[in-house]
Amino acid sequence: MFKKKHFTFEDIPDLSGKVAIVTGANTGIGYITAKELARKNAHVFVASRTKERGESAVENIIKETGNNQVEYLHLDLVSLKNVKQAAENFLAKKLPLHILINNAGIMATPWSLTEDGIQDQFGVNHVGHFLFTKILLPRIEASTPSRIVNVSGGAYKWGPAAGIEFDKINQKDAQSTLQRYAVSKLANILFSHSLAKRFEDKEIYVNSLHPGVVRTELSRGVEETYGIIAKIVNKFTYLFKISAEDGALTQLYAATSPEIIEKNYRKKYFIPYGEIAETTALAQDDELAEKLWKYTEDLIDDKLRT
Ligand SMILES: NC(=O)c1ccc[n+]([C@@H]2O[C@H](COP(=O)([O-])OP(=O)(O)OC[C@H]3O[C@@H](n4cnc5c(N)ncnc54)[C@H](OP(=O)(O)O)[C@@H]3O)[C@@H](O)[C@H]2O)c1
């Protein structure tokens, strides 16, 4: 809470001419991230699933920052068709894309499947973002220097010893909902590694991060699953959480700090506030990362074909 800040809003450079997409930017950490990018003159897309919430966020950001180049992009990660459409809608605007922040997420929700029949946390937090990013990649590549920031979380360590048990992802009772969240957050880091590897000779800086334990709406899922117990725990822990403003700093660092390019930071995992942290061996496992890449590609091909 009182940790020294390696990066603050004042350190965000002028972003005039830069185009950014922030997923899940209508509330929480994503909202603050989009707002601070806009304050520094970036052209920002608030990519979010609910039109009213997205448009209201756009209105508030414009009002607060005076930057009119803030737009709503409809993106519902629960539907691969919608994800594809959202990415294509952005591409149709013929704009460059310098910063993609894959921030949207759900945590510890009760068991449910996405529109495509994929377990929801894995589907929303990982698979949807994988497809969104892949469709946008040519534009990101044409806009270098550019950055991709995948918002993971410290909970990535709570998963099974094998990391990702592919045969259990869609099995209802195979894992607890917190384990399913952990697997999806590990996937965010492994996806960053695979992407970074594919672009190691390009000026595309791909990194992931843990934003801190932040006061946002993320505990909605936990409360739905665990009811009153979770509500009490959340009330108690509220005091120990950092603000959404502080929570946004680490992704803003990865998305905008000149240090990323100066120090050639790729495949890094940042923690508050813009510090590099060592990850577990599983999160650095290249073989697992490649297996995940192939698994996700095949899954998406299969779902979009049907
Ligand atoms: N808060 C923490 O302590 C913490 C810790 C570690 C990691 N994180 C990570 O930080 C990121 C941001 O979380 P937050 O704390 O800001 O949570 P939040 O306040 O609940 O915001 C999550 C955002 O994701 C959006 N979202 C959820 N499902 C979506 C879908 N199907 N399609 C598109 N957007 C969707 C939400 O939209 P709606 O408002 O429409 O639901 C919302 O805009 C997440 O990836 C989370 O895992 C947070």
Side-chain angles (χ1 to χ4, degrees), residues 23-30 47-50 53 75-78 102-107 124-125 151-154 181 185 188 210-220 241 251:
T23 71
N26 59 277
T27 186
I29 305 169
S48 91
R49 65 175 159 178
T50 317
R53 295 193 93 192
L75 168 72
D76 191 347
L77 293 156
V78 92
N102 289 321
N103 160 86
I106 50 174
M107 178 186 182
V124 168
N125 297 352
V151 181
S152 174
Y181 179 65
K185 292 286 118 180
N188 294 152
H210 165 58
V213 181
V214 192
R215 283 193 293 270
T216 63
E217 296 180 45
L218 192 67
S219 44
R220 290 177 272 184
K241 292 182 178 173
Q251 56 211 56

mmCIF file of all heavy atoms in Angstrom, residues 23-30 47-50 53 75-78 102-107 124-125 151-154 181 185 188 210-220 241 251, ligand 1:
data_model
loop_
_atom_site.group_PDB
_atom_site.id
_atom_site.type_symbol
_atom_site.label_atom_id
_atom_site.label_comp_id
_atom_site.label_asym_id
_atom_site.label_seq_id
_atom_site.Cartn_x
_atom_site.Cartn_y
_atom_site.Cartn_z
ATOM 1 N N THR A 23 -9.018 -3.360 -23.238
ATOM 2 C CA THR A 23 -10.214 -4.200 -23.075
ATOM 3 C C THR A 23 -10.705 -4.087 -21.626
ATOM 4 O O THR A 23 -9.913 -3.879 -20.704
ATOM 5 C CB THR A 23 -9.945 -5.676 -23.444
ATOM 6 O OG1 THR A 23 -9.118 -6.280 -22.443
ATOM 7 C CG2 THR A 23 -9.283 -5.814 -24.804
ATOM 8 N N GLY A 24 -12.012 -4.203 -21.456
ATOM 9 C CA GLY A 24 -12.593 -4.083 -20.108
ATOM 10 C C GLY A 24 -12.308 -2.723 -19.511
ATOM 11 O O GLY A 24 -11.966 -2.609 -18.339
ATOM 12 N N ALA A 25 -12.499 -1.683 -20.327
ATOM 13 C CA ALA A 25 -12.106 -0.336 -19.887
ATOM 14 C C ALA A 25 -13.271 0.490 -19.363
ATOM 15 O O ALA A 25 -13.138 1.689 -19.164
ATOM 16 C CB ALA A 25 -11.415 0.400 -21.034
ATOM 17 N N ASN A 26 -14.427 -0.156 -19.120
ATOM 18 C CA ASN A 26 -15.560 0.639 -18.624
ATOM 19 C C ASN A 26 -15.546 0.798 -17.112
ATOM 20 O O ASN A 26 -16.278 1.604 -16.563
ATOM 21 C CB ASN A 26 -16.885 0.022 -19.081
ATOM 22 C CG ASN A 26 -17.048 -1.407 -18.598
ATOM 23 O OD1 ASN A 26 -16.533 -2.328 -19.231
ATOM 24 N ND2 ASN A 26 -17.706 -1.601 -17.473
ATOM 25 N N THR A 27 -14.704 0.018 -16.434
ATOM 26 C CA THR A 27 -14.650 0.114 -14.968
ATOM 27 C C THR A 27 -13.282 -0.356 -14.470
ATOM 28 O O THR A 27 -12.444 -0.798 -15.258
ATOM 29 C CB THR A 27 -15.787 -0.732 -14.317
ATOM 30 O OG1 THR A 27 -15.794 -0.497 -12.902
ATOM 31 C CG2 THR A 27 -15.609 -2.216 -14.548
ATOM 32 N N GLY A 28 -13.067 -0.245 -13.168
ATOM 33 C CA GLY A 28 -11.868 -0.803 -12.536
ATOM 34 C C GLY A 28 -10.556 -0.257 -13.085
ATOM 35 O O GLY A 28 -10.438 0.905 -13.461
ATOM 36 N N ILE A 29 -9.587 -1.155 -13.130
ATOM 37 C CA ILE A 29 -8.238 -0.778 -13.530
ATOM 38 C C ILE A 29 -8.220 -0.325 -14.997
ATOM 39 O O ILE A 29 -7.510 0.603 -15.373
ATOM 40 C CB ILE A 29 -7.292 -1.993 -13.356
ATOM 41 C CG1 ILE A 29 -7.357 -2.531 -11.916
ATOM 42 C CG2 ILE A 29 -5.873 -1.631 -13.712
ATOM 43 C CD1 ILE A 29 -6.669 -3.873 -11.734
ATOM 44 N N GLY A 30 -9.030 -1.006 -15.805
ATOM 45 C CA GLY A 30 -9.074 -0.689 -17.237
ATOM 46 C C GLY A 30 -9.569 0.723 -17.493
ATOM 47 O O GLY A 30 -9.056 1.436 -18.372
ATOM 48 N N ALA A 47 -12.776 -0.858 -25.121
ATOM 49 C CA ALA A 47 -13.380 -2.091 -25.653
ATOM 50 C C ALA A 47 -14.107 -2.789 -24.522
ATOM 51 O O ALA A 47 -13.477 -3.289 -23.593
ATOM 52 C CB ALA A 47 -12.283 -2.988 -26.220
ATOM 53 N N SER A 48 -15.436 -2.804 -24.616
ATOM 54 C CA SER A 48 -16.152 -3.445 -23.517
ATOM 55 C C SER A 48 -17.468 -4.038 -23.969
ATOM 56 O O SER A 48 -17.973 -3.728 -25.046
ATOM 57 C CB SER A 48 -16.288 -2.482 -22.341
ATOM 58 O OG SER A 48 -17.461 -1.762 -22.424
ATOM 59 N N ARG A 49 -18.000 -4.923 -23.130
ATOM 60 C CA ARG A 49 -19.105 -5.769 -23.585
ATOM 61 C C ARG A 49 -20.477 -5.125 -23.498
ATOM 62 O O ARG A 49 -21.383 -5.485 -24.228
ATOM 63 C CB ARG A 49 -19.113 -7.077 -22.804
ATOM 64 C CG ARG A 49 -19.388 -6.931 -21.317
ATOM 65 C CD ARG A 49 -19.506 -8.274 -20.642
ATOM 66 N NE ARG A 49 -19.265 -8.159 -19.207
ATOM 67 C CZ ARG A 49 -19.349 -9.157 -18.363
ATOM 68 N NH1 ARG A 49 -19.657 -10.354 -18.794
ATOM 69 N NH2 ARG A 49 -19.114 -8.963 -17.090
ATOM 70 N N THR A 50 -20.643 -4.194 -22.576
ATOM 71 C CA THR A 50 -21.976 -3.605 -22.408
ATOM 72 C C THR A 50 -21.977 -2.191 -22.972
ATOM 73 O O THR A 50 -21.221 -1.336 -22.500
ATOM 74 C CB THR A 50 -22.366 -3.562 -20.908
ATOM 75 O OG1 THR A 50 -21.991 -4.794 -20.320
ATOM 76 C CG2 THR A 50 -23.837 -3.323 -20.714
ATOM 77 N N ARG A 53 -22.467 0.774 -20.539
ATOM 78 C CA ARG A 53 -21.334 0.987 -19.618
ATOM 79 C C ARG A 53 -20.129 1.517 -20.401
ATOM 80 O O ARG A 53 -19.403 2.387 -19.931
ATOM 81 C CB ARG A 53 -20.964 -0.310 -18.896
ATOM 82 C CG ARG A 53 -22.048 -0.824 -17.971
ATOM 83 C CD ARG A 53 -21.520 -1.920 -17.057
ATOM 84 N NE ARG A 53 -21.070 -1.354 -15.800
ATOM 85 C CZ ARG A 53 -20.360 -1.988 -14.884
ATOM 86 N NH1 ARG A 53 -19.993 -3.220 -15.075
ATOM 87 N NH2 ARG A 53 -19.993 -1.401 -13.774
ATOM 88 N N LEU A 75 -16.941 -5.186 -27.601
ATOM 89 C CA LEU A 75 -16.157 -6.421 -27.530
ATOM 90 C C LEU A 75 -16.720 -7.289 -26.416
ATOM 91 O O LEU A 75 -16.672 -6.905 -25.250
ATOM 92 C CB LEU A 75 -14.680 -6.098 -27.219
ATOM 93 C CG LEU A 75 -13.814 -7.300 -26.828
ATOM 94 C CD1 LEU A 75 -13.519 -8.197 -28.028
ATOM 95 C CD2 LEU A 75 -12.487 -6.845 -26.203
ATOM 96 N N ASP A 76 -17.244 -8.447 -26.795
ATOM 97 C CA ASP A 76 -17.676 -9.391 -25.757
ATOM 98 C C ASP A 76 -16.842 -10.656 -25.883
ATOM 99 O O ASP A 76 -17.030 -11.465 -26.799
ATOM 100 C CB ASP A 76 -19.174 -9.705 -25.890
ATOM 101 C CG ASP A 76 -19.659 -10.454 -24.656
ATOM 102 O OD1 ASP A 76 -18.803 -10.919 -23.869
ATOM 103 O OD2 ASP A 76 -20.885 -10.582 -24.474
ATOM 104 N N LEU A 77 -15.938 -10.823 -24.944
ATOM 105 C CA LEU A 77 -14.970 -11.926 -25.005
ATOM 106 C C LEU A 77 -15.613 -13.293 -24.788
ATOM 107 O O LEU A 77 -14.958 -14.317 -24.943
ATOM 108 C CB LEU A 77 -13.867 -11.696 -23.964
ATOM 109 C CG LEU A 77 -12.982 -10.473 -24.258
ATOM 110 C CD1 LEU A 77 -12.338 -9.958 -22.982
ATOM 111 C CD2 LEU A 77 -11.907 -10.806 -25.288
ATOM 112 N N VAL A 78 -16.886 -13.285 -24.463
ATOM 113 C CA VAL A 78 -17.584 -14.545 -24.221
ATOM 114 C C VAL A 78 -18.027 -15.191 -25.542
ATOM 115 O O VAL A 78 -18.459 -16.338 -25.581
ATOM 116 C CB VAL A 78 -18.767 -14.280 -23.247
ATOM 117 C CG1 VAL A 78 -20.055 -13.980 -23.965
ATOM 118 C CG2 VAL A 78 -18.921 -15.386 -22.241
ATOM 119 N N ASN A 102 -4.669 -5.974 -22.953
ATOM 120 C CA ASN A 102 -5.662 -7.023 -22.711
ATOM 121 C C ASN A 102 -5.920 -7.090 -21.211
ATOM 122 O O ASN A 102 -5.248 -7.813 -20.476
ATOM 123 C CB ASN A 102 -5.138 -8.362 -23.249
ATOM 124 C CG ASN A 102 -5.122 -8.380 -24.765
ATOM 125 O OD1 ASN A 102 -6.033 -7.854 -25.417
ATOM 126 N ND2 ASN A 102 -4.091 -8.964 -25.344
ATOM 127 N N ASN A 103 -6.881 -6.301 -20.778
ATOM 128 C CA ASN A 103 -7.124 -6.097 -19.344
ATOM 129 C C ASN A 103 -8.394 -6.776 -18.830
ATOM 130 O O ASN A 103 -8.460 -7.139 -17.654
ATOM 131 C CB ASN A 103 -7.192 -4.574 -19.101
ATOM 132 C CG ASN A 103 -7.888 -4.223 -17.814
ATOM 133 O OD1 ASN A 103 -7.268 -4.183 -16.748
ATOM 134 N ND2 ASN A 103 -9.202 -3.969 -17.870
ATOM 135 N N ALA A 104 -9.394 -6.948 -19.691
ATOM 136 C CA ALA A 104 -10.689 -7.458 -19.203
ATOM 137 C C ALA A 104 -10.518 -8.801 -18.507
ATOM 138 O O ALA A 104 -9.629 -9.580 -18.852
ATOM 139 C CB ALA A 104 -11.658 -7.615 -20.372
ATOM 140 N N GLY A 105 -11.352 -9.045 -17.522
ATOM 141 C CA GLY A 105 -11.246 -10.337 -16.859
ATOM 142 C C GLY A 105 -12.395 -10.616 -15.924
ATOM 143 O O GLY A 105 -13.113 -9.707 -15.486
ATOM 144 N N ILE A 106 -12.587 -11.898 -15.647
ATOM 145 C CA ILE A 106 -13.554 -12.331 -14.642
ATOM 146 C C ILE A 106 -12.817 -13.253 -13.679
ATOM 147 O O ILE A 106 -11.844 -13.902 -14.062
ATOM 148 C CB ILE A 106 -14.774 -13.058 -15.267
ATOM 149 C CG1 ILE A 106 -14.317 -14.170 -16.235
ATOM 150 C CG2 ILE A 106 -15.683 -12.067 -15.967
ATOM 151 C CD1 ILE A 106 -15.459 -15.021 -16.767
ATOM 152 N N MET A 107 -13.287 -13.285 -12.432
ATOM 153 C CA MET A 107 -12.580 -14.086 -11.425
ATOM 154 C C MET A 107 -13.526 -14.961 -10.607
ATOM 155 O O MET A 107 -14.539 -14.479 -10.104
ATOM 156 C CB MET A 107 -11.842 -13.151 -10.461
ATOM 157 C CG MET A 107 -11.131 -13.879 -9.355
ATOM 158 S SD MET A 107 -10.433 -12.697 -8.183
ATOM 159 C CE MET A 107 -9.629 -13.802 -7.056
ATOM 160 N N VAL A 124 -12.900 -16.336 -21.486
ATOM 161 C CA VAL A 124 -12.893 -14.865 -21.478
ATOM 162 C C VAL A 124 -11.470 -14.328 -21.259
ATOM 163 O O VAL A 124 -10.975 -13.492 -22.022
ATOM 164 C CB VAL A 124 -13.838 -14.317 -20.382
ATOM 165 C CG1 VAL A 124 -13.635 -12.828 -20.156
ATOM 166 C CG2 VAL A 124 -15.291 -14.613 -20.745
ATOM 167 N N ASN A 125 -10.825 -14.827 -20.201
ATOM 168 C CA ASN A 125 -9.529 -14.246 -19.822
ATOM 169 C C ASN A 125 -8.425 -14.588 -20.814
ATOM 170 O O ASN A 125 -7.546 -13.763 -21.071
ATOM 171 C CB ASN A 125 -9.117 -14.725 -18.420
ATOM 172 C CG ASN A 125 -10.099 -14.265 -17.341
ATOM 173 O OD1 ASN A 125 -10.995 -13.479 -17.608
ATOM 174 N ND2 ASN A 125 -9.939 -14.753 -16.131
ATOM 175 N N VAL A 151 -2.736 -8.417 -18.959
ATOM 176 C CA VAL A 151 -2.922 -8.267 -17.513
ATOM 177 C C VAL A 151 -3.206 -9.642 -16.905
ATOM 178 O O VAL A 151 -4.265 -10.228 -17.121
ATOM 179 C CB VAL A 151 -4.057 -7.272 -17.199
ATOM 180 C CG1 VAL A 151 -4.205 -7.117 -15.685
ATOM 181 C CG2 VAL A 151 -3.770 -5.922 -17.862
ATOM 182 N N SER A 152 -2.219 -10.139 -16.188
ATOM 183 C CA SER A 152 -2.360 -11.425 -15.503
ATOM 184 C C SER A 152 -2.706 -11.122 -14.044
ATOM 185 O O SER A 152 -3.496 -10.211 -13.781
ATOM 186 C CB SER A 152 -1.046 -12.208 -15.633
ATOM 187 O OG SER A 152 -1.086 -13.396 -14.884
ATOM 188 N N GLY A 153 -2.122 -11.827 -13.117
ATOM 189 C CA GLY A 153 -2.374 -11.573 -11.698
ATOM 190 C C GLY A 153 -1.604 -12.585 -10.874
ATOM 191 O O GLY A 153 -1.328 -13.698 -11.351
ATOM 192 N N GLY A 154 -1.280 -12.193 -9.651
ATOM 193 C CA GLY A 154 -0.485 -13.056 -8.774
ATOM 194 C C GLY A 154 -1.132 -14.415 -8.530
ATOM 195 O O GLY A 154 -0.448 -15.388 -8.196
ATOM 196 N N TYR A 181 -9.467 -19.836 -12.337
ATOM 197 C CA TYR A 181 -8.970 -18.457 -12.505
ATOM 198 C C TYR A 181 -7.448 -18.482 -12.633
ATOM 199 O O TYR A 181 -6.878 -17.840 -13.516
ATOM 200 C CB TYR A 181 -9.391 -17.600 -11.304
ATOM 201 C CG TYR A 181 -8.906 -16.161 -11.362
ATOM 202 C CD1 TYR A 181 -9.360 -15.283 -12.345
ATOM 203 C CD2 TYR A 181 -7.994 -15.663 -10.422
ATOM 204 C CE1 TYR A 181 -8.926 -13.964 -12.390
ATOM 205 C CE2 TYR A 181 -7.552 -14.352 -10.466
ATOM 206 C CZ TYR A 181 -8.022 -13.502 -11.455
ATOM 207 O OH TYR A 181 -7.578 -12.184 -11.508
ATOM 208 N N LYS A 185 -4.976 -17.107 -15.647
ATOM 209 C CA LYS A 185 -3.971 -16.045 -15.433
ATOM 210 C C LYS A 185 -2.570 -16.547 -15.788
ATOM 211 O O LYS A 185 -1.740 -15.782 -16.267
ATOM 212 C CB LYS A 185 -4.031 -15.540 -13.986
ATOM 213 C CG LYS A 185 -5.307 -14.772 -13.658
ATOM 214 C CD LYS A 185 -5.332 -13.383 -14.254
ATOM 215 C CE LYS A 185 -6.410 -13.110 -15.244
ATOM 216 N NZ LYS A 185 -6.418 -11.767 -15.806
ATOM 217 N N ASN A 188 -2.319 -16.171 -19.418
ATOM 218 C CA ASN A 188 -1.992 -14.788 -19.837
ATOM 219 C C ASN A 188 -0.476 -14.595 -19.914
ATOM 220 O O ASN A 188 0.037 -13.943 -20.830
ATOM 221 C CB ASN A 188 -2.559 -13.756 -18.863
ATOM 222 C CG ASN A 188 -4.072 -13.694 -18.831
ATOM 223 O OD1 ASN A 188 -4.657 -13.337 -17.818
ATOM 224 N ND2 ASN A 188 -4.725 -14.024 -19.924
ATOM 225 N N HIS A 210 1.147 -8.221 -12.853
ATOM 226 C CA HIS A 210 0.185 -8.320 -11.752
ATOM 227 C C HIS A 210 -0.068 -6.880 -11.295
ATOM 228 O O HIS A 210 0.879 -6.186 -10.914
ATOM 229 C CB HIS A 210 0.796 -9.149 -10.613
ATOM 230 C CG HIS A 210 0.067 -9.016 -9.314
ATOM 231 N ND1 HIS A 210 -1.267 -9.318 -9.192
ATOM 232 C CD2 HIS A 210 0.474 -8.608 -8.075
ATOM 233 C CE1 HIS A 210 -1.646 -9.109 -7.936
ATOM 234 N NE2 HIS A 210 -0.613 -8.673 -7.245
ATOM 235 N N PRO A 211 -1.331 -6.419 -11.337
ATOM 236 C CA PRO A 211 -1.584 -4.999 -11.011
ATOM 237 C C PRO A 211 -1.572 -4.667 -9.523
ATOM 238 O O PRO A 211 -1.599 -3.497 -9.153
ATOM 239 C CB PRO A 211 -2.990 -4.769 -11.576
ATOM 240 C CG PRO A 211 -3.641 -6.113 -11.535
ATOM 241 C CD PRO A 211 -2.558 -7.122 -11.746
ATOM 242 N N GLY A 212 -1.530 -5.702 -8.666
ATOM 243 C CA GLY A 212 -1.678 -5.488 -7.227
ATOM 244 C C GLY A 212 -3.023 -6.052 -6.800
ATOM 245 O O GLY A 212 -3.775 -6.590 -7.621
ATOM 246 N N VAL A 213 -3.317 -5.966 -5.524
ATOM 247 C CA VAL A 213 -4.632 -6.379 -5.040
ATOM 248 C C VAL A 213 -5.439 -5.087 -4.936
ATOM 249 O O VAL A 213 -5.154 -4.222 -4.108
ATOM 250 C CB VAL A 213 -4.523 -7.122 -3.695
ATOM 251 C CG1 VAL A 213 -5.897 -7.558 -3.215
ATOM 252 C CG2 VAL A 213 -3.606 -8.327 -3.851
ATOM 253 N N VAL A 214 -6.411 -4.964 -5.812
ATOM 254 C CA VAL A 214 -6.994 -3.659 -6.119
ATOM 255 C C VAL A 214 -8.493 -3.614 -5.798
ATOM 256 O O VAL A 214 -9.214 -4.588 -6.047
ATOM 257 C CB VAL A 214 -6.782 -3.343 -7.624
ATOM 258 C CG1 VAL A 214 -7.101 -1.876 -7.912
ATOM 259 C CG2 VAL A 214 -5.358 -3.670 -8.068
ATOM 260 N N ARG A 215 -8.946 -2.456 -5.324
ATOM 261 C CA ARG A 215 -10.385 -2.264 -5.035
ATOM 262 C C ARG A 215 -11.132 -2.021 -6.347
ATOM 263 O O ARG A 215 -11.121 -0.903 -6.876
ATOM 264 C CB ARG A 215 -10.577 -1.025 -4.150
ATOM 265 C CG ARG A 215 -10.235 -1.236 -2.699
ATOM 266 C CD ARG A 215 -10.737 -0.087 -1.847
ATOM 267 N NE ARG A 215 -10.051 1.163 -2.132
ATOM 268 C CZ ARG A 215 -8.947 1.577 -1.531
ATOM 269 N NH1 ARG A 215 -8.386 0.837 -0.602
ATOM 270 N NH2 ARG A 215 -8.390 2.721 -1.845
ATOM 271 N N THR A 216 -11.705 -3.098 -6.891
ATOM 272 C CA THR A 216 -12.478 -2.972 -8.131
ATOM 273 C C THR A 216 -13.711 -3.866 -8.004
ATOM 274 O O THR A 216 -13.984 -4.400 -6.939
ATOM 275 C CB THR A 216 -11.653 -3.457 -9.346
ATOM 276 O OG1 THR A 216 -11.383 -4.857 -9.148
ATOM 277 C CG2 THR A 216 -10.351 -2.707 -9.499
ATOM 278 N N GLU A 217 -14.368 -4.071 -9.131
ATOM 279 C CA GLU A 217 -15.563 -4.935 -9.117
ATOM 280 C C GLU A 217 -15.220 -6.403 -9.350
ATOM 281 O O GLU A 217 -16.106 -7.230 -9.538
ATOM 282 C CB GLU A 217 -16.533 -4.465 -10.206
ATOM 283 C CG GLU A 217 -17.072 -3.066 -9.989
ATOM 284 C CD GLU A 217 -18.038 -2.660 -11.099
ATOM 285 O OE1 GLU A 217 -18.914 -3.465 -11.475
ATOM 286 O OE2 GLU A 217 -17.898 -1.536 -11.604
ATOM 287 N N LEU A 218 -13.924 -6.729 -9.375
ATOM 288 C CA LEU A 218 -13.519 -8.097 -9.733
ATOM 289 C C LEU A 218 -14.084 -9.164 -8.803
ATOM 290 O O LEU A 218 -14.312 -10.298 -9.217
ATOM 291 C CB LEU A 218 -11.984 -8.202 -9.765
ATOM 292 C CG LEU A 218 -11.428 -9.472 -10.401
ATOM 293 C CD1 LEU A 218 -11.733 -9.527 -11.904
ATOM 294 C CD2 LEU A 218 -9.918 -9.581 -10.194
ATOM 295 N N SER A 219 -14.326 -8.783 -7.553
ATOM 296 C CA SER A 219 -14.811 -9.794 -6.592
ATOM 297 C C SER A 219 -16.278 -10.177 -6.821
ATOM 298 O O SER A 219 -16.813 -11.032 -6.108
ATOM 299 C CB SER A 219 -14.593 -9.303 -5.167
ATOM 300 O OG SER A 219 -14.974 -7.967 -5.066
ATOM 301 N N ARG A 220 -16.910 -9.591 -7.847
ATOM 302 C CA ARG A 220 -18.296 -9.977 -8.177
ATOM 303 C C ARG A 220 -18.438 -11.492 -8.310
ATOM 304 O O ARG A 220 -19.349 -12.102 -7.776
ATOM 305 C CB ARG A 220 -18.716 -9.371 -9.534
ATOM 306 C CG ARG A 220 -18.897 -7.899 -9.542
ATOM 307 C CD ARG A 220 -19.228 -7.416 -10.944
ATOM 308 N NE ARG A 220 -18.034 -7.113 -11.740
ATOM 309 C CZ ARG A 220 -18.059 -6.616 -12.958
ATOM 310 N NH1 ARG A 220 -19.202 -6.382 -13.551
ATOM 311 N NH2 ARG A 220 -16.956 -6.350 -13.609
ATOM 312 N N LYS A 241 -6.636 -3.201 0.244
ATOM 313 C CA LYS A 241 -6.436 -3.178 -1.211
ATOM 314 C C LYS A 241 -5.987 -1.791 -1.653
ATOM 315 O O LYS A 241 -6.290 -0.791 -0.991
ATOM 316 C CB LYS A 241 -7.741 -3.552 -1.924
ATOM 317 C CG LYS A 241 -8.125 -5.004 -1.700
ATOM 318 C CD LYS A 241 -9.385 -5.345 -2.465
ATOM 319 C CE LYS A 241 -9.752 -6.807 -2.282
ATOM 320 N NZ LYS A 241 -11.041 -7.148 -2.874
ATOM 321 N N GLN A 251 0.265 -1.424 -15.444
ATOM 322 C CA GLN A 251 0.004 -1.630 -16.875
ATOM 323 C C GLN A 251 0.290 -0.364 -17.685
ATOM 324 O O GLN A 251 0.727 -0.444 -18.845
ATOM 325 C CB GLN A 251 -1.390 -2.186 -17.155
ATOM 326 C CG GLN A 251 -2.559 -1.435 -16.642
ATOM 327 C CD GLN A 251 -3.688 -2.435 -16.336
ATOM 328 O OE1 GLN A 251 -3.517 -3.372 -15.578
ATOM 329 N NE2 GLN A 251 -4.850 -2.231 -16.920
HETATM 330 N N1 LIG B 1 -8.524 -6.270 -8.819
HETATM 331 C C1 LIG B 1 -7.497 -7.030 -8.476
HETATM 332 O O1 LIG B 1 -7.135 -7.131 -7.285
HETATM 333 C C2 LIG B 1 -6.726 -7.775 -9.519
HETATM 334 C C3 LIG B 1 -5.619 -8.555 -9.117
HETATM 335 C C4 LIG B 1 -4.904 -9.256 -10.075
HETATM 336 C C5 LIG B 1 -5.285 -9.194 -11.422
HETATM 337 N N2 LIG B 1 -6.358 -8.444 -11.784
HETATM 338 C C6 LIG B 1 -6.727 -8.418 -13.211
HETATM 339 O O2 LIG B 1 -6.953 -7.079 -13.604
HETATM 340 C C7 LIG B 1 -7.859 -7.049 -14.727
HETATM 341 C C8 LIG B 1 -8.902 -5.965 -14.505
HETATM 342 O O3 LIG B 1 -9.698 -6.331 -13.413
HETATM 343 P P1 LIG B 1 -10.419 -5.311 -12.428
HETATM 344 O O4 LIG B 1 -9.890 -5.595 -11.084
HETATM 345 O O5 LIG B 1 -10.386 -3.951 -12.969
HETATM 346 O O6 LIG B 1 -11.900 -5.932 -12.475
HETATM 347 P P2 LIG B 1 -13.338 -5.281 -12.819
HETATM 348 O O7 LIG B 1 -13.508 -4.016 -12.096
HETATM 349 O O8 LIG B 1 -14.316 -6.377 -12.559
HETATM 350 O O9 LIG B 1 -13.236 -5.003 -14.382
HETATM 351 C C9 LIG B 1 -13.197 -6.067 -15.297
HETATM 352 C C10 LIG B 1 -13.531 -5.555 -16.674
HETATM 353 O O10 LIG B 1 -13.568 -6.689 -17.572
HETATM 354 C C11 LIG B 1 -14.785 -6.611 -18.303
HETATM 355 N N3 LIG B 1 -15.261 -7.912 -18.794
HETATM 356 C C12 LIG B 1 -15.667 -8.977 -18.069
HETATM 357 N N4 LIG B 1 -16.121 -9.924 -18.898
HETATM 358 C C13 LIG B 1 -16.004 -9.453 -20.155
HETATM 359 C C14 LIG B 1 -16.331 -9.960 -21.425
HETATM 360 N N5 LIG B 1 -16.953 -11.136 -21.605
HETATM 361 N N6 LIG B 1 -16.060 -9.208 -22.515
HETATM 362 C C15 LIG B 1 -15.495 -7.988 -22.380
HETATM 363 N N7 LIG B 1 -15.187 -7.438 -21.198
HETATM 364 C C16 LIG B 1 -15.449 -8.169 -20.101
HETATM 365 C C17 LIG B 1 -15.783 -5.991 -17.327
HETATM 366 O O11 LIG B 1 -16.929 -5.522 -18.027
HETATM 367 P P3 LIG B 1 -18.347 -5.337 -17.255
HETATM 368 O O12 LIG B 1 -18.181 -4.152 -16.364
HETATM 369 O O13 LIG B 1 -19.328 -5.166 -18.348
HETATM 370 O O14 LIG B 1 -18.556 -6.584 -16.462
HETATM 371 C C18 LIG B 1 -14.914 -4.902 -16.770
HETATM 372 O O15 LIG B 1 -14.842 -3.827 -17.660
HETATM 373 C C19 LIG B 1 -8.427 -8.469 -14.832
HETATM 374 O O16 LIG B 1 -7.777 -9.147 -15.892
HETATM 375 C C20 LIG B 1 -8.044 -9.118 -13.511
HETATM 376 O O17 LIG B 1 -7.877 -10.525 -13.609
HETATM 377 C C21 LIG B 1 -7.077 -7.726 -10.872
#
